[in-house]
Amino acid sequence: MNQPIPFGTGRPAETGRDDLTDVMQQVAHGDKQAFSALYDALAPMVFGIVVKVVRDRAQSEEVAQEVMIDLWRQAARYRSDAGSVQTWAATIAHRRAVDRVRSAQAASDREHAQAAREHTTAFDEVAEQVETRLESEQVRRCLRGLTELQRQAVTLAYYQGLTYREVAEALRTPLPTVKTRMRDGLIRLRDCMGVTT
């Protein structure tokens, strides 16, 4: 087989429709010389079609080579009554080029979507941390506005998880007093925090 010509450097060989139909039949039977002639005749046209769709020379060369391999592998499928060899090759070239562009676009879309998800996640985490920090500051400020007994009772109950009875024991204060101080303290916290019921 002849060395393939580099894509885009030559012109299609002057081969008629009937000649290429005969060549295609020979290629279908595995004739490497016939494929070399087919390659010389169609490679420039195939490359021209592909490069117009793909627009990247390196990728276009790759796709054009794939088209030429398809022509070799699918030669037995060619039917002369459906159109010329050039038309058949052009159709395969165009389809392959469009598939490459769609595949590249889909990969790009996936990368952009992943980057957007990562960016959104990072932003959400930062926003959530800031919000939590601001709320914590507001809670600390509001706790400072309570009486000592209210602050101790609320802190033991909500930050350490003690029951009313355990809070009363820890503070050595009667249970009804603890309940009243906690209720009053929570009302003051609610008002300070601006929580509406």
PDB file of all heavy atoms in Angstrom, residues 35-55:
ATOM      1  N   PHE A  35      -7.544  -0.117  -1.860  1.00  0.00           N
ATOM      2  CA  PHE A  35      -7.766   0.824  -0.763  1.00  0.00           C
ATOM      3  C   PHE A  35      -6.798   1.993  -0.845  1.00  0.00           C
ATOM      4  O   PHE A  35      -7.169   3.131  -0.571  1.00  0.00           O
ATOM      5  CB  PHE A  35      -7.639   0.137   0.606  1.00  0.00           C
ATOM      6  CG  PHE A  35      -7.868   1.092   1.743  1.00  0.00           C
ATOM      7  CD1 PHE A  35      -9.135   1.607   1.990  1.00  0.00           C
ATOM      8  CD2 PHE A  35      -6.817   1.514   2.543  1.00  0.00           C
ATOM      9  CE1 PHE A  35      -9.343   2.515   3.022  1.00  0.00           C
ATOM     10  CE2 PHE A  35      -7.016   2.418   3.575  1.00  0.00           C
ATOM     11  CZ  PHE A  35      -8.283   2.913   3.816  1.00  0.00           C
ATOM     12  N   SER A  36      -5.574   1.718  -1.252  1.00  0.00           N
ATOM     13  CA  SER A  36      -4.598   2.803  -1.412  1.00  0.00           C
ATOM     14  C   SER A  36      -5.081   3.814  -2.453  1.00  0.00           C
ATOM     15  O   SER A  36      -4.994   5.031  -2.246  1.00  0.00           O
ATOM     16  CB  SER A  36      -3.238   2.222  -1.814  1.00  0.00           C
ATOM     17  OG  SER A  36      -2.300   3.240  -1.982  1.00  0.00           O
ATOM     18  N   ALA A  37      -5.645   3.307  -3.540  1.00  0.00           N
ATOM     19  CA  ALA A  37      -6.179   4.191  -4.589  1.00  0.00           C
ATOM     20  C   ALA A  37      -7.401   4.950  -4.057  1.00  0.00           C
ATOM     21  O   ALA A  37      -7.560   6.156  -4.310  1.00  0.00           O
ATOM     22  CB  ALA A  37      -6.561   3.376  -5.826  1.00  0.00           C
ATOM     23  N   LEU A  38      -8.248   4.269  -3.299  1.00  0.00           N
ATOM     24  CA  LEU A  38      -9.423   4.896  -2.713  1.00  0.00           C
ATOM     25  C   LEU A  38      -8.994   5.992  -1.737  1.00  0.00           C
ATOM     26  O   LEU A  38      -9.553   7.092  -1.738  1.00  0.00           O
ATOM     27  CB  LEU A  38     -10.272   3.842  -1.995  1.00  0.00           C
ATOM     28  CG  LEU A  38     -11.599   4.334  -1.410  1.00  0.00           C
ATOM     29  CD1 LEU A  38     -12.597   4.596  -2.536  1.00  0.00           C
ATOM     30  CD2 LEU A  38     -12.158   3.318  -0.428  1.00  0.00           C
ATOM     31  N   TYR A  39      -8.001   5.698  -0.941  1.00  0.00           N
ATOM     32  CA  TYR A  39      -7.477   6.655   0.027  1.00  0.00           C
ATOM     33  C   TYR A  39      -6.976   7.908  -0.688  1.00  0.00           C
ATOM     34  O   TYR A  39      -7.320   9.035  -0.312  1.00  0.00           O
ATOM     35  CB  TYR A  39      -6.350   5.999   0.831  1.00  0.00           C
ATOM     36  CG  TYR A  39      -5.862   6.816   2.000  1.00  0.00           C
ATOM     37  CD1 TYR A  39      -6.273   6.522   3.281  1.00  0.00           C
ATOM     38  CD2 TYR A  39      -5.001   7.887   1.828  1.00  0.00           C
ATOM     39  CE1 TYR A  39      -5.847   7.261   4.370  1.00  0.00           C
ATOM     40  CE2 TYR A  39      -4.562   8.637   2.895  1.00  0.00           C
ATOM     41  CZ  TYR A  39      -4.984   8.326   4.163  1.00  0.00           C
ATOM     42  OH  TYR A  39      -4.551   9.074   5.236  1.00  0.00           O
ATOM     43  N   ASP A  40      -6.159   7.707  -1.709  1.00  0.00           N
ATOM     44  CA  ASP A  40      -5.620   8.843  -2.462  1.00  0.00           C
ATOM     45  C   ASP A  40      -6.734   9.683  -3.080  1.00  0.00           C
ATOM     46  O   ASP A  40      -6.642  10.915  -3.140  1.00  0.00           O
ATOM     47  CB  ASP A  40      -4.671   8.359  -3.562  1.00  0.00           C
ATOM     48  CG  ASP A  40      -3.381   7.761  -3.013  1.00  0.00           C
ATOM     49  OD1 ASP A  40      -3.081   7.983  -1.814  1.00  0.00           O
ATOM     50  OD2 ASP A  40      -2.685   7.057  -3.771  1.00  0.00           O
ATOM     51  N   ALA A  41      -7.806   9.022  -3.502  1.00  0.00           N
ATOM     52  CA  ALA A  41      -8.901   9.730  -4.163  1.00  0.00           C
ATOM     53  C   ALA A  41      -9.803  10.482  -3.172  1.00  0.00           C
ATOM     54  O   ALA A  41     -10.308  11.557  -3.503  1.00  0.00           O
ATOM     55  CB  ALA A  41      -9.739   8.739  -4.978  1.00  0.00           C
ATOM     56  N   LEU A  42      -9.996   9.926  -1.977  1.00  0.00           N
ATOM     57  CA  LEU A  42     -10.994  10.481  -1.075  1.00  0.00           C
ATOM     58  C   LEU A  42     -10.446  11.225   0.144  1.00  0.00           C
ATOM     59  O   LEU A  42     -11.159  12.045   0.727  1.00  0.00           O
ATOM     60  CB  LEU A  42     -11.920   9.366  -0.576  1.00  0.00           C
ATOM     61  CG  LEU A  42     -12.760   8.661  -1.640  1.00  0.00           C
ATOM     62  CD1 LEU A  42     -13.611   7.570  -0.992  1.00  0.00           C
ATOM     63  CD2 LEU A  42     -13.633   9.649  -2.385  1.00  0.00           C
ATOM     64  N   ALA A  43      -9.211  10.949   0.547  1.00  0.00           N
ATOM     65  CA  ALA A  43      -8.685  11.538   1.790  1.00  0.00           C
ATOM     66  C   ALA A  43      -8.773  13.067   1.814  1.00  0.00           C
ATOM     67  O   ALA A  43      -9.208  13.631   2.820  1.00  0.00           O
ATOM     68  CB  ALA A  43      -7.265  11.059   2.044  1.00  0.00           C
ATOM     69  N   PRO A  44      -8.373  13.768   0.758  1.00  0.00           N
ATOM     70  CA  PRO A  44      -8.474  15.234   0.813  1.00  0.00           C
ATOM     71  C   PRO A  44      -9.918  15.737   0.981  1.00  0.00           C
ATOM     72  O   PRO A  44     -10.165  16.662   1.745  1.00  0.00           O
ATOM     73  CB  PRO A  44      -7.884  15.689  -0.521  1.00  0.00           C
ATOM     74  CG  PRO A  44      -6.969  14.569  -0.919  1.00  0.00           C
ATOM     75  CD  PRO A  44      -7.666  13.323  -0.444  1.00  0.00           C
ATOM     76  N   MET A  45     -10.858  15.103   0.297  1.00  0.00           N
ATOM     77  CA  MET A  45     -12.254  15.507   0.413  1.00  0.00           C
ATOM     78  C   MET A  45     -12.773  15.229   1.837  1.00  0.00           C
ATOM     79  O   MET A  45     -13.413  16.080   2.458  1.00  0.00           O
ATOM     80  CB  MET A  45     -13.123  14.748  -0.601  1.00  0.00           C
ATOM     81  CG  MET A  45     -14.612  15.079  -0.462  1.00  0.00           C
ATOM     82  SD  MET A  45     -15.716  13.861  -1.228  1.00  0.00           S
ATOM     83  CE  MET A  45     -15.544  12.463  -0.147  1.00  0.00           C
ATOM     84  N   VAL A  46     -12.456  14.054   2.345  1.00  0.00           N
ATOM     85  CA  VAL A  46     -12.889  13.664   3.693  1.00  0.00           C
ATOM     86  C   VAL A  46     -12.332  14.659   4.716  1.00  0.00           C
ATOM     87  O   VAL A  46     -13.060  15.167   5.575  1.00  0.00           O
ATOM     88  CB  VAL A  46     -12.439  12.224   4.016  1.00  0.00           C
ATOM     89  CG1 VAL A  46     -12.559  11.931   5.506  1.00  0.00           C
ATOM     90  CG2 VAL A  46     -13.251  11.223   3.200  1.00  0.00           C
ATOM     91  N   PHE A  47     -11.050  14.962   4.601  1.00  0.00           N
ATOM     92  CA  PHE A  47     -10.435  15.901   5.537  1.00  0.00           C
ATOM     93  C   PHE A  47     -11.099  17.278   5.445  1.00  0.00           C
ATOM     94  O   PHE A  47     -11.370  17.911   6.462  1.00  0.00           O
ATOM     95  CB  PHE A  47      -8.932  16.025   5.281  1.00  0.00           C
ATOM     96  CG  PHE A  47      -8.271  17.004   6.216  1.00  0.00           C
ATOM     97  CD1 PHE A  47      -8.035  16.678   7.533  1.00  0.00           C
ATOM     98  CD2 PHE A  47      -7.897  18.258   5.767  1.00  0.00           C
ATOM     99  CE1 PHE A  47      -7.443  17.588   8.401  1.00  0.00           C
ATOM    100  CE2 PHE A  47      -7.306  19.165   6.620  1.00  0.00           C
ATOM    101  CZ  PHE A  47      -7.070  18.833   7.942  1.00  0.00           C
ATOM    102  N   GLY A  48     -11.383  17.725   4.237  1.00  0.00           N
ATOM    103  CA  GLY A  48     -12.027  19.021   4.046  1.00  0.00           C
ATOM    104  C   GLY A  48     -13.380  19.103   4.730  1.00  0.00           C
ATOM    105  O   GLY A  48     -13.715  20.112   5.374  1.00  0.00           O
ATOM    106  N   ILE A  49     -14.160  18.042   4.626  1.00  0.00           N
ATOM    107  CA  ILE A  49     -15.472  18.011   5.274  1.00  0.00           C
ATOM    108  C   ILE A  49     -15.308  18.025   6.794  1.00  0.00           C
ATOM    109  O   ILE A  49     -15.965  18.793   7.500  1.00  0.00           O
ATOM    110  CB  ILE A  49     -16.266  16.754   4.826  1.00  0.00           C
ATOM    111  CG1 ILE A  49     -16.648  16.884   3.346  1.00  0.00           C
ATOM    112  CG2 ILE A  49     -17.498  16.544   5.705  1.00  0.00           C
ATOM    113  CD1 ILE A  49     -17.176  15.604   2.734  1.00  0.00           C
ATOM    114  N   VAL A  50     -14.413  17.193   7.289  1.00  0.00           N
ATOM    115  CA  VAL A  50     -14.225  17.063   8.735  1.00  0.00           C
ATOM    116  C   VAL A  50     -13.719  18.367   9.344  1.00  0.00           C
ATOM    117  O   VAL A  50     -14.216  18.822  10.368  1.00  0.00           O
ATOM    118  CB  VAL A  50     -13.270  15.887   9.051  1.00  0.00           C
ATOM    119  CG1 VAL A  50     -12.898  15.877  10.525  1.00  0.00           C
ATOM    120  CG2 VAL A  50     -13.909  14.561   8.648  1.00  0.00           C
ATOM    121  N   VAL A  51     -12.739  18.988   8.717  1.00  0.00           N
ATOM    122  CA  VAL A  51     -12.141  20.197   9.301  1.00  0.00           C
ATOM    123  C   VAL A  51     -13.150  21.348   9.340  1.00  0.00           C
ATOM    124  O   VAL A  51     -13.099  22.197  10.234  1.00  0.00           O
ATOM    125  CB  VAL A  51     -10.838  20.592   8.580  1.00  0.00           C
ATOM    126  CG1 VAL A  51     -11.092  21.339   7.285  1.00  0.00           C
ATOM    127  CG2 VAL A  51      -9.946  21.423   9.503  1.00  0.00           C
ATOM    128  N   LYS A  52     -14.093  21.376   8.407  1.00  0.00           N
ATOM    129  CA  LYS A  52     -15.126  22.416   8.438  1.00  0.00           C
ATOM    130  C   LYS A  52     -16.055  22.254   9.632  1.00  0.00           C
ATOM    131  O   LYS A  52     -16.579  23.230  10.144  1.00  0.00           O
ATOM    132  CB  LYS A  52     -15.949  22.390   7.146  1.00  0.00           C
ATOM    133  CG  LYS A  52     -15.225  22.992   5.967  1.00  0.00           C
ATOM    134  CD  LYS A  52     -16.072  22.943   4.723  1.00  0.00           C
ATOM    135  CE  LYS A  52     -15.284  23.491   3.538  1.00  0.00           C
ATOM    136  NZ  LYS A  52     -16.010  23.324   2.286  1.00  0.00           N
ATOM    137  N   VAL A  53     -16.248  21.025  10.081  1.00  0.00           N
ATOM    138  CA  VAL A  53     -17.140  20.767  11.216  1.00  0.00           C
ATOM    139  C   VAL A  53     -16.373  20.830  12.537  1.00  0.00           C
ATOM    140  O   VAL A  53     -16.794  21.494  13.482  1.00  0.00           O
ATOM    141  CB  VAL A  53     -17.835  19.392  11.069  1.00  0.00           C
ATOM    142  CG1 VAL A  53     -18.672  19.069  12.300  1.00  0.00           C
ATOM    143  CG2 VAL A  53     -18.686  19.352   9.814  1.00  0.00           C
ATOM    144  N   VAL A  54     -15.230  20.180  12.612  1.00  0.00           N
ATOM    145  CA  VAL A  54     -14.478  20.062  13.861  1.00  0.00           C
ATOM    146  C   VAL A  54     -13.680  21.326  14.158  1.00  0.00           C
ATOM    147  O   VAL A  54     -13.558  21.738  15.311  1.00  0.00           O
ATOM    148  CB  VAL A  54     -13.553  18.823  13.817  1.00  0.00           C
ATOM    149  CG1 VAL A  54     -12.695  18.736  15.063  1.00  0.00           C
ATOM    150  CG2 VAL A  54     -14.382  17.558  13.652  1.00  0.00           C
ATOM    151  N   ARG A  55     -13.113  21.950  13.143  1.00  0.00           N
ATOM    152  CA  ARG A  55     -12.378  23.220  13.242  1.00  0.00           C
ATOM    153  C   ARG A  55     -11.053  23.135  13.975  1.00  0.00           C
ATOM    154  O   ARG A  55     -10.442  24.133  14.259  1.00  0.00           O
ATOM    155  CB  ARG A  55     -13.239  24.311  13.863  1.00  0.00           C
ATOM    156  CG  ARG A  55     -14.451  24.622  13.031  1.00  0.00           C
ATOM    157  CD  ARG A  55     -15.303  25.665  13.699  1.00  0.00           C
ATOM    158  NE  ARG A  55     -16.531  25.842  12.957  1.00  0.00           N
ATOM    159  CZ  ARG A  55     -16.807  26.895  12.216  1.00  0.00           C
ATOM    160  NH1 ARG A  55     -15.952  27.866  12.108  1.00  0.00           N
ATOM    161  NH2 ARG A  55     -17.941  26.962  11.570  1.00  0.00           N
TER     162      ARG A  55
END
